[in-house]
Amino acid sequence: MTVLTGARERWVRTGGVELCVAELGDPSQPTVLLVHGYPDSKEVWSQVAARLADHFHVVLYDVRGHGRSTAPQPLRGGFTLEKLTDDFLAVADAVSPDRPVHLVGHDWGSVQSWEFVTVKRTEGRIASFTSMSGPSLDHFGHWIQKRMKRPTPRRMGQLLGQGAKSWYVYLLHTPALPEMAWRGPLGKTWPRILRRMERVPSDNYPTSSLPSDAAHGAWLYRDNVRSRLRRPRTDAYAHAPVQLITPLADVFLSEQLYDELELWAPQLTRRTLPAKHWVPRTRPDQLASWVAAFVRSVEGGRQEPRATGRYADRFGGQLVLITGAGSGIGRATAYAFAEAGARVVAVDRDGEAAARTAEMSRLIGAPDAWAETVDVSDEQAMEKLAEKVATEYGVVDVLVNNAGIGLSGSFLDTTSDDWRTVLDVNLWGVIHGCRLFGRQMADRGQGGHIVNTASAAAYQPSRALPAYSTTKAAVLMLSECLRAELADDRIGVTAICPGFVNTNITSTARFTGVDAEEEARRQKRSARLYGMRNYPPEKVAEAILRGIVNNEAVVPVTPEARGAHLLSRFAPGVLRRIARVKPPV
Ligand code: NAD
């Protein structure tokens, strides 16, 4: 039984086996050929295939001995990379005789695809290759040899690290034992293991062929691994552009395996994902979007990615929504994401400022950018925004709740209206954002990240900023609580705590207990002081992107914010004494 809804099936005979091939989408479009790994069948791709089928001719096949394809007889020697290459060529010739195909491989599907894309006889048949969680055995062999020949403590650490991650490869080389385990208890508990360890949703996956897929697939390892690692090919150069997607929490493969990959794949695009091994099941949206963008760029003769920002591997193509994006930290953050190739939604109550941010973001490198005029304190407007974004642009991958206003003045001079205004924007704005977009992220079940802009004022008391500091302390605690709640959904939450940053906030901040003239004077003076400090918002933006990549809980930015953070933990009495110092008027 196939779970590939709407797929057309056919059989391809090659080298004594019959391969079960499924096709979706319009055959006149470029062909994307998805190759599954171990222990899997083509159904591992069902979510990705469904997403790609609207735009491409999508083809999947069960590797020999897997799913509904027949197994070679005898099994030993029937799974060599040479035979797997014969199978690939037979499928490619059957489904796309006149045009090269875009290969996509996961796990062993990627290992064998590396062979396809580096041997001479497939030249001209492969337009591009997207690899995930499966290195070339030849590249891996050279990687090991290099570390053995010229060992340094770092290289030995890498070798031992990958050696430990490969424990299952040794087990699969033992005779009969893996077959007994897979056809017995392991085959029964595997779906539960995948759900628990990898958080793989159980929608019709794995299929009932799992025990025999896994038993036959052991020969993939036995027929190839030892021989190739001992004598890796020296001419294993990719003859098509390669996109490498590295899941950063892969328990079977370490990131360092790909350190020198540019040597073998000169046209290389790197992508990273904060995810475990089974990304075709856990991150189908992200994979489909990266595959589609890569295929389009190769078909269009363009170099991918256009973005060159430091974090382009991580944020390229992601959907990022930033509030308060019309000025200061929000605008700089929008630009940093644009440089990394993200799609940007710039939200601000100042529509013109948001539009300028969106326009500039496109020029900098965002493949798409939109402006939305919304007051974050307006619950209904935020609900409408969340609905519109989901329908028109998709579920956001990163949300930055950044919009905020300043309010200065003693507690006794702060009116209830003042309190309401600052709480509505600085706290309720963040609550609305987290609630509405956090719900969408959790429902999608494919991770994401929420950043809330708090402030060093969140942990540094001051007699001059009681209301502002209260809102920021609340944002900090909200972020910590939400981080705990959303961890199970693989959604990270980060609170950013800048110190003094040179933005417009000083010119718009309210000062309580004084008349308009005095307020204007104080605004000017604090703008001058912040200007003298001159810490640029771009550095806060950089800290935001880094905080997401490292999934940090709290990120104090600026030296004074870091110093105050340390004091708040180890010497809070010092901060309390500083808090009593009267601000100059
Ligand atoms: P900014 O005034 O330069 O930018 C804030 C932006 O938010 C403006 O474009 C403004 O129009 C928008 N905004 C304000 N209220 C809004 C609302 N209700 N709905 C939608 N948009 C709204 O200020 P900034 O310094 O970039 O501030 C950004 C965030 O950083 C704020 O949360 C602020 O509290 C925080 N922060 C700033 C500093 C600093 O020194 N500048 C320090 C710590 C924290």
Side-chain angles (χ1 to χ4, degrees):
M1 231 286 285
T2 180
V3 287
L4 291 158
T5 321
R8 308 176 289 278
E9 278 191 1
R10 63 157 98 179
W11 296 87
V12 172
R13 278 168 194 272
T14 165
V17 294
E18 276 195 281
L19 301 176
C20 178
V21 179
E23 286 174 81
L24 293 114
D26 178 356
S28 69
Q29 293 302 315
T31 299
V32 178
L33 183 55
L34 305 166
V35 190
H36 70 81
Y38 177 86
D40 269 321
S41 58
K42 62 183 178 319
E43 280 72 18
V44 72
W45 289 116
S46 59
Q47 299 288 331
V48 177
R51 285 160 174 78
L52 290 171
D54 284 345
H55 313 282
F56 302 106
H57 174 217
V58 181
V59 178
L60 317 89
Y61 67 99
D62 286 322
V63 171
R64 50 172 58 208
H66 295 70
R68 294 164 67 210
S69 294
T70 58
Q73 286 306 330
L75 292 170
R76 180 188 295 278
F79 288 84
T80 59
L81 286 168
E82 291 73 18
K83 290 187 175 154
L84 297 170
T85 309
D86 293 340
D87 292 356
F88 157 69
L89 281 172
V91 173
D93 287 348
V95 298
S96 180
D98 306 319
R99 282 171 84 175
V101 301
H102 295 271
L103 252 184
V104 180
H106 173 248
D107 185 273
W108 251 94
S110 171
V111 175
Q112 55 180 301
S113 295
W114 271 113
E115 174 80 359
F116 311 160
V117 80
T118 55
V119 291
K120 281 263 173 304
R121 62 190 172 117
T122 59
E123 251 174 72
R125 297 299 292 127
I126 300 171
S128 78
F129 168 39
T130 296
S131 156
M132 53 198 90
S133 291
S136 145
L137 290 182
D138 300 302
H139 303 165
F140 190 16
H142 289 292
W143 187 89
I144 294 172
Q145 286 182 3
K146 188 169 174 183
R147 277 151 189 81
M148 302 284 269
K149 272 188 203 145
R150 268 171 269 129
T152 61
R154 190 167 156 267
R155 283 178 172 173
M156 287 315 284
Q158 291 177 350
L159 210 51
L160 291 172
Q162 182 53 50
K165 285 183 173 214
S166 300
W167 56 270
Y168 64 99
V169 180
Y170 318 127
L171 281 181
L172 282 166
H173 278 84
T174 56
L177 201 69
E179 282 84 344
M180 272 160 55
W182 280 112
R183 292 193 192 278
L186 187 56
K188 287 199 187 73
T189 48
W190 187 244
R192 219 175 323 135
I193 295 174
L194 277 185
R195 267 201 303 280
R196 196 165 300 158
M197 309 287 289
E198 292 269 335
R199 308 229 164 235
V200 168
S202 51
D203 47 349
N204 293 322
Y205 173 83
T207 54
S208 55
S209 61
L210 169 75
S212 74
D213 298 343
H216 290 153
W219 289 101
L220 291 167
Y221 294 85
R222 294 169 185 155
D223 277 351
N224 299 295
V225 174
R226 264 185 304 189
S227 53
R228 274 302 169 95
L229 292 189
R230 251 186 244 142
R231 278 180 305 281
R233 286 165 47 217
T234 52
D235 61 350
Y237 297 101
H239 47 68
V242 177
Q243 170 169 241
L244 176 76
I245 299 176
T246 310
L248 298 173
D250 196 322
V251 288
F252 305 113
L253 295 159
S254 54
E255 268 177 87
Q256 289 82 20
L257 271 185
Y258 307 107
D259 277 355
E260 292 125 25
L261 195 58
E262 274 81 359
L263 293 176
W264 300 104
Q267 300 173 71
L268 183 67
T269 298
R270 289 179 182 266
R271 305 282 187 200
T272 55
L273 255 184
K276 294 189 174 182
H277 183 77
W278 258 273
V279 281
R281 303 306 299 179
T282 58
R283 295 289 193 276
D285 280 352
Q286 183 63 82
L287 296 192
S289 128
W290 277 339
V291 168
F294 193 58
V295 169
R296 282 197 195 104
S297 76
V298 171
E299 289 283 322
R302 292 190 311 273
Q303 179 71 22
E304 184 73 18
R306 285 195 304 135
T308 51
R310 180 154 168 215
Y311 299 108
D313 64 328
R314 171 66 187 274
F315 298 114
Q318 291 208 332
L319 183 63
V320 179
L321 184 142
I322 302 143
T323 68
S327 168
I329 294 170
R331 177 172 272 175
T333 305
Y335 293 166
F337 277 112
E339 270 175 27
R343 296 176 297 141
V344 171
V345 185
V347 177
D348 205 290
R349 66 178 170 192
D350 179 344
E352 275 181 30
R356 277 197 298 278
T357 302
E359 201 180 318
M360 193 63 188
S361 297
R362 273 191 296 270
L363 291 175
I364 290 176
D368 265 315
W370 304 272
E372 298 291 341
T373 314
V374 177
D375 180 339
V376 295
S377 66
D378 181 340
E379 182 170 3
Q380 282 181 358
M382 285 294 278
E383 277 170 4
K384 272 195 195 143
L385 172 73
E387 239 179 80
K388 180 178 178 190
V389 170
T391 343
E392 293 185 13
Y393 318 134
V395 174
V396 299
D397 298 297
V398 178
L399 165 71
V400 185
N401 287 307
N402 163 78
I405 50 173
L407 180 67
S408 181
S410 75
F411 175 78
L412 293 180
D413 282 338
T414 307
T415 65
S416 317
D417 280 347
D418 291 331
W419 270 100
R420 247 174 245 120
T421 308
V422 74
L423 278 165
D424 278 353
V425 179
N426 290 11
L427 180 57
W428 274 105
V430 176
I431 294 174
H432 297 323
C434 290
R435 199 171 60 73
L436 296 161
F437 292 100
R439 163 62 62 203
Q440 291 179 4
M441 284 184 193
D443 285 350
R444 177 177 67 162
Q446 296 182 46
H449 206 103
I450 297 176
V451 175
N452 295 327
T453 309
S455 165
Y459 46 75
Q460 180 172 11
S462 139
R463 59 183 294 162
L465 298 167
Y468 180 79
S469 305
T470 302
T471 63
K472 293 301 184 180
V475 167
L476 178 58
M477 183 49 83
L478 166 65
S479 308
E480 292 267 25
C481 295
L482 196 58
R483 183 178 169 88
E485 179 175 335
L486 296 183
D488 285 347
D489 296 299
R490 299 288 181 265
I491 298 168
V493 180
T494 298
I496 300 289
C497 301
F500 303 110
V501 184
N502 194 9
T503 68
N504 245 348
I505 200 165
T506 41
S507 328
T508 53
R510 285 260 301 108
F511 286 77
T512 63
V514 293
D515 62 20
E517 201 180 320
E518 176 58 16
E519 183 174 49
R521 195 186 67 78
R522 291 190 185 185
Q523 285 171 342
K524 247 195 198 151
R525 203 202 43 186
S526 51
R528 206 172 50 242
L529 289 175
Y530 276 55
M532 278 158 64
R533 168 75 183 85
N534 203 19
Y535 193 90
E538 290 74 20
K539 281 198 178 179
V540 184
E542 162 85 15
I544 289 177
L545 271 68
R546 199 175 49 239
I548 300 172
V549 167
N550 299 330
N551 193 17
E552 289 172 67
V554 181
V555 182
V557 195
T558 72
E560 65 274 11
R562 280 196 293 276
H565 194 234
L566 279 178
L567 286 176
S568 72
R569 292 168 72 183
F570 301 113
V574 175
L575 284 186
R576 287 184 192 122
R577 276 199 291 281
I578 297 173
R580 294 175 63 170
V581 176
K582 270 194 179 168
V585 285

